[in-house]
Amino acid sequence: MKHSRIIFAVLSAILLVSSSAWAEFRLTPGFSLRQEYDDNIYLTARDEESDFITIVRPSINLNWETRFVELSLNLGLEYEKYLHNSNEDELRPSQGARFDSTWSLYKNALFLRVSDSYERVPIDEGDKGGLDNKLANLTDRNRLIVNPYLLLHPLRTLEARFDYQYENVWYRAEEGDDAETHRYSLQLTKEISPRISAILYGGYTQYRPRDASRSVLEDIGDEEYDRTDARLNLLWNVTEKFTLGGNVGRAWLDYDYSGETSSTLLGGRADYQLSRTVSVGTSYQEDISDSVENGAREQKRYSAYYSYADRAKASLTLFKSRDDYIEIQRQDDSMGAVLAGELPITNKKGVAWSLNYTDYEKAETEDYDRYGARVEFYHDMRLGRFALGYTWNRNDSDIQDNNYTSNIIFAQVVLSW
């Protein structure tokens, strides 16, 4: 929350420094109001708690471009008011609030990127959850990035990029692992041909949790580690409609007390536009990322998609993933599908819908099937959209206390000027 002040400090500096770019300045205010009834706000198996929730969200969307800076700001306040559970009332930056800026400091070679984002994220991705749920297994996360970098072109087809990146991650929930990271990296991009390019990347990262452990025997605190990466990426535009990409590499993690471990970095992607309206693709990725509360994890994810976009829209995504947690004995597997679309009825009216399914195996302790569905009838207006909708969630677990169902009925209006 405190890092949000940085957004306003940087924005104020831009207002003072840049005086010649009013023609490139665009400011769009917005406002949304949502009223909903949720019959199970905590996603419990029994003694469900229902409530009427009012959500008010004023916002501004700002874009500014000058010779020295490119800036975008999507900032709003979100107030949630519960009729019967006033202890859950909340005023915070709106979910998805984001600030991005890139400063040109010296002759299109030295740059500074500053970004800040605020969003709601799951505390444990294997625990409770559902479409449009606002309380169960969720916390606020603020991510601040300060990234000076240097771009050089020693050859016409070769670009060298030197980076230092400071990142500060803050979670509102006590379970969240607040941390700072410092990353130093070199990236070489070579155009092999007009259709093929290669990227060679090397990086060194210092992960420094705010509550660092002082011994491997401590039950509280998180362990510091240093990470070294080496990776090669290739991108091939086979035709204007067919693209292939891939990467291979290795990551080494050196923990303060637990010793060293290494993981393979591997990925591939294919995207093909079959026609003006139809696209298909598939991807596979192995990488390491930090979880909210359980440290670093090795992630393997496969996905495939089909997309149709014309006056009506429809998409299908299939996925399968595995998370191996490095610091604890835990392995999660999941697979599922997301089917979504939009069907216009008239020029201003239509139906948007989605269906979700996930089969999740959590660390050999729980196996559940999770279902979700949402349907929304909308009417477009001159300044925005009015919608009425219904959301359904169902969790079928082999642990009886983790079975739950929720029903949400909502009405909302979204305006922009």
Side-chain angles (χ1 to χ4, degrees):
M1 193 78 172
K2 60 183 179 182
H3 300 305
S4 298
R5 300 175 185 173
I6 295 175
I7 295 177
F8 299 105
V10 174
L11 182 57
S12 299
I14 294 171
L15 290 171
L16 294 173
V17 171
S18 236
S19 59
S20 60
W22 287 102
E24 303 299 328
F25 180 87
R26 299 182 300 277
L27 178 65
T28 306
F31 177 82
S32 70
L33 175 65
R34 177 182 173 109
Q35 181 66 58
E36 68 178 48
Y37 170 77
D38 188 336
D39 69 354
N40 191 2
I41 61 174
Y42 299 116
L43 300 181
T44 55
R46 55 183 65 86
D47 299 324
E48 296 92 340
E49 189 78 33
S50 63
D51 212 332
F52 291 91
I53 309 168
T54 303
I55 305 169
V56 182
R57 187 184 294 118
S59 64
I60 59 169
N61 194 318
L62 183 152
N63 290 276
W64 201 348
E65 295 183 14
T66 77
R67 289 188 305 161
F68 309 106
V69 66
E70 294 182 4
L71 178 148
S72 65
L73 173 66
N74 186 347
L75 182 64
L77 289 176
E78 190 171 278
Y79 179 58
E80 290 183 10
K81 174 62 181 176
Y82 290 77
L83 182 62
H84 303 301
N85 295 270
S86 58
N87 58 305
E88 301 292 355
D89 292 355
E90 188 71 58
L91 176 64
R92 58 173 174 260
S94 60
Q95 181 174 342
R98 185 171 183 85
F99 168 79
D100 268 304
S101 67
T102 302
W103 296 70
S104 179
L105 302 180
Y106 181 72
K107 293 185 176 180
N108 288 324
L110 182 61
F111 299 86
L112 172 65
R113 176 174 173 256
V114 180
S115 70
D116 193 279
S117 60
Y118 194 94
E119 58 186 336
R120 298 277 281 173
V121 297
I123 297 174
D124 187 325
E125 292 186 1
D127 275 355
K128 292 180 178 180
L131 296 174
D132 294 336
N133 177 260
K134 298 171 178 61
L135 295 177
N137 186 38
L138 292 173
T139 185
D140 295 350
R141 178 180 69 187
N142 192 88
R143 185 187 295 271
L144 168 70
I145 295 175
V146 180
N147 173 210
Y149 61 95
L150 177 66
L151 286 181
L152 300 176
H153 294 84
L155 300 173
R156 184 180 61 85
T157 59
L158 178 64
E159 178 185 87
R161 173 167 172 162
F162 301 85
D163 280 76
Y164 164 72
Q165 179 171 298
Y166 168 80
E167 182 174 333
N168 188 304
V169 179
W170 168 87
Y171 296 98
R172 182 162 190 173
E174 293 183 2
E175 299 95 324
D177 297 336
D178 299 349
E180 297 180 350
T181 59
H182 304 268
R183 189 192 71 190
Y184 312 85
S185 64
L186 168 62
Q187 179 174 291
L188 301 176
T189 302
K190 179 71 170 70
E191 183 182 304
I192 300 173
S193 74
R195 291 187 178 274
I196 302 175
S197 60
I199 299 174
L200 182 62
Y201 172 88
Y204 174 72
T205 303
Q206 298 170 309
Y207 175 79
R208 300 296 180 258
R210 188 141 319 146
D211 298 322
S213 59
R214 292 166 294 183
S215 166
V216 72
L217 301 177
E218 281 192 342
D219 293 330
I220 59 175
D222 307 299
E223 195 171 349
E224 297 181 356
Y225 66 79
D226 295 340
R227 171 176 172 172
T228 304
D229 287 68
R231 185 173 64 244
L232 174 65
N233 294 59
L234 289 174
L235 179 64
W236 182 17
N237 294 312
V238 183
T239 68
E240 292 183 357
K241 297 182 178 182
F242 185 34
T243 302
L244 293 174
N247 67 272
V248 62
R250 194 76 176 169
W252 296 267
L253 275 66
D254 183 9
Y255 282 88
D256 253 9
Y257 307 107
S258 301
E260 299 181 4
T261 184
S262 62
S263 298
T264 298
L265 306 176
L266 182 65
R269 184 176 189 92
D271 296 280
Y272 186 49
Q273 186 176 345
L274 293 173
S275 66
R276 180 183 63 85
T277 58
V278 177
S279 299
V280 296
T282 184
S283 67
Y284 176 77
Q285 191 67 47
E286 295 183 27
D287 206 344
I288 297 178
S289 66
D290 292 306
S291 63
V292 173
E293 65 168 346
N294 293 311
R297 59 190 170 180
E298 297 177 342
Q299 292 185 297
K300 299 178 182 179
R301 182 178 177 89
Y302 166 78
S303 65
Y305 75 88
Y306 170 90
S307 174
Y308 172 84
D310 198 11
R311 187 168 182 268
K313 299 177 182 178
S315 65
L316 172 65
T317 302
L318 307 174
F319 65 88
K320 184 176 182 179
S321 65
R322 168 168 290 183
D323 291 348
D324 283 304
Y325 291 80
I326 297 174
E327 300 173 27
I328 60 175
Q329 294 295 318
R330 174 174 167 180
Q331 177 182 289
D332 291 6
D333 291 284
S334 64
M335 61 184 299
V338 178
L339 180 63
E342 183 174 329
L343 178 63
I345 299 173
T346 68
N347 288 336
K348 293 186 175 181
K349 295 179 174 62
V351 180
W353 54 272
S354 66
L355 299 171
N356 296 49
Y357 168 73
T358 302
D359 176 7
Y360 206 100
E361 297 180 11
K362 181 180 177 182
E364 299 182 355
T365 60
E366 182 185 7
D367 189 354
Y368 62 75
D369 295 309
R370 182 167 296 168
Y371 308 87
R374 182 197 292 120
V375 60
E376 176 183 307
F377 299 90
Y378 64 83
H379 173 72
D380 288 330
M381 304 175 291
R382 186 173 64 87
L383 294 178
R385 171 176 286 191
F386 173 76
L388 293 171
Y390 168 72
T391 302
W392 172 79
N393 291 294
R394 173 64 185 171
N395 201 73
D396 289 328
S397 172
D398 55 4
I399 300 176
Q400 187 173 359
D401 287 342
N402 289 344
N403 291 329
Y404 57 81
T405 302
S406 77
N407 298 275
I408 301 172
I409 301 172
F410 63 88
Q412 66 180 16
V413 59
V414 179
L415 303 175
S416 62
W417 290 269

